[in-house]
Amino acid sequence: MSDLLERLRERGWRMTSQRRVVAEVLDGDHVHLTADEVHARAAQRLPEISRATVYNALGELVSLGEVKEVSTDGRAKRYDPNAHRPHQHLVCSACGTVRDVHPTGNPLADLPPDQRFGFTISEAEVTYRGLCPSCV
Amino acid sequence: MSDLLERLRERGWRMTSQRRVVAEVLDGDHVHLTADEVHARAAQRLPEISRATVYNALGELVSLGEVKEVSTDGRAKRYDPNAHRPHQHLVCSACGTVRDVHPTGNPLADLPPDQRFGFTISEAEVTYRGLCPSCV
DNA sequence: ATCCTACGATGGACAGAGTCCAAGTCAAGA
DNA sequence: TCTTGACTTGGACTCTGTCCATCGTAGGAT
Ligand SMILES: [Mn+2]
Ligand SMILES: [Mn+2]
Ligand SMILES: [Zn+2]
Ligand SMILES: [Zn+2]
């Protein structure tokens, strides 16, 4: 998935230096950075980039389906570049680390029709919580 | 579960008029309120109750295990008085309504050991998202 | 290569959600 | 009734995120 920049250009996303560094920060590892963390990393390469621009770029990447928003707690949203392979999250209750996990089975299958209350359900998000090895 | 007040008194929770109205607001059938919604309803019965007091009381009820915090999106947390029967949530993507649901099976069983990465997992939260009948 | 202009970037004000604190009040035991 | 530590209050403050007027520039047109 390292051709994020390429895909964006092909989709007609106007490429500015600011958008490039935001995309580069997200590309690569499957991290789960907050908007301010993305801003901090982007600012290492482009010191005058503004918070508003980072928020704008992240919002567009989410609209384009290239990044997913993850809100594991009531704190800052995290931005997940692993948008193409469905997965769930494992969150450390102590340090807040977020890991991708791939559970077996489909949680939607566990919700019988009489528990759907007329909703048209489009997705099921699972968050596993516990302590990571460093926080035992 | 209408003896919430009774349980709290038995557990030595100092009963003030403010705490009483907060507990009474939650004890009814209006589940999944935000802190400000709780404050608004409490203020109908006790006009001068402050936001800080509502936050304090909610935080203590959560610590006591009598109320659960639910953060379904990046917005305000909701406070769920249904803390004694394990359940999951069905959320309307349009209007934000939250309903309790009781899926079959245990989501923890869907996470094989090689997907636990050394974590000590204590719970699995499932959020089903979709459109409610009024928002089709 | 230069020009144009619509789209993007900027920073500061603003808003929503929640926390913190010093000062005042009161529940409940003695 | 008295006493006292726990509770409440309002406002200031933090954190996260949005909005907006103005300025700058990417990239198509010439
Ligand atoms: Mn992820
Ligand atoms: Mn519930
Ligand atoms: Zn940890
Ligand atoms: Zn709805």
Side-chain angles (χ1 to χ4, degrees), chain A residues 25-39 41 58 66-73 75-92 95-102 125-128, chain B residues 117 119:
Chain A
V25 164
L26 289 172
D27 205 6
D29 309 318
H30 287 165
V31 291
H32 301 90
L33 301 175
T34 64
D36 276 339
E37 286 166 352
V38 171
H39 178 245
R41 295 190 184 205
L58 289 173
E66 294 287 355
V67 167
K68 276 189 133 58
E69 279 180 351
V70 179
S71 27
T72 52
D73 51 4
R75 312 280 317 215
K77 284 178 193 161
R78 294 179 173 276
Y79 291 87
D80 188 347
N82 185 3
H84 297 97
R85 181 172 180 203
H87 64 281
Q88 307 298 345
H89 292 112
L90 181 48
V91 179
C92 176
C95 67
T97 304
V98 178
R99 280 210 64 143
D100 287 353
V101 290
H102 299 89
E125 258 178 49
V126 184
T127 304
Y128 297 94
Chain B
F117 303 103
F119 279 59

Side-chain angles (χ1 to χ4, degrees), chain A residues 14 16 18-19 48-50 52-53 56:
Chain A
R14 192 172 190 168
T16 66
Q18 293 86 351
R19 289 176 168 198
E48 295 321 308
I49 191 172
S50 72
T53 294
N56 287 342

Side-chain angles (χ1 to χ4, degrees), chain A residues 39-62:
Chain A
H39 178 245
R41 295 190 184 205
Q44 290 172 5
R45 306 198 46 183
L46 192 65
E48 295 321 308
I49 191 172
S50 72
R51 288 175 68 249
T53 294
V54 171
Y55 274 103
N56 287 342
L58 289 173
E60 283 156 13
L61 292 173
V62 170

Side-chain angles (χ1 to χ4, degrees), chain B residues 32-103:
Chain B
H32 308 112
L33 300 175
T34 65
D36 277 338
E37 287 166 352
V38 172
H39 178 244
R41 296 189 184 208
Q44 289 173 6
R45 306 197 49 183
L46 191 65
E48 295 322 306
I49 190 171
S50 72
R51 286 176 70 251
T53 294
V54 170
Y55 274 104
N56 288 342
L58 290 173
E60 283 154 15
L61 292 173
V62 170
S63 294
L64 289 168
E66 295 287 355
V67 167
K68 276 189 132 58
E69 279 181 349
V70 179
S71 30
T72 52
D73 51 3
R75 313 281 317 218
K77 285 178 194 161
R78 295 179 172 275
Y79 291 86
D80 187 348
N82 185 2
H84 297 95
R85 181 173 180 203
H87 64 281
Q88 306 299 344
H89 291 113
L90 181 48
V91 180
C92 176
S93 313
C95 66
T97 304
V98 179
R99 281 210 63 144
D100 286 355
V101 289
H102 299 89

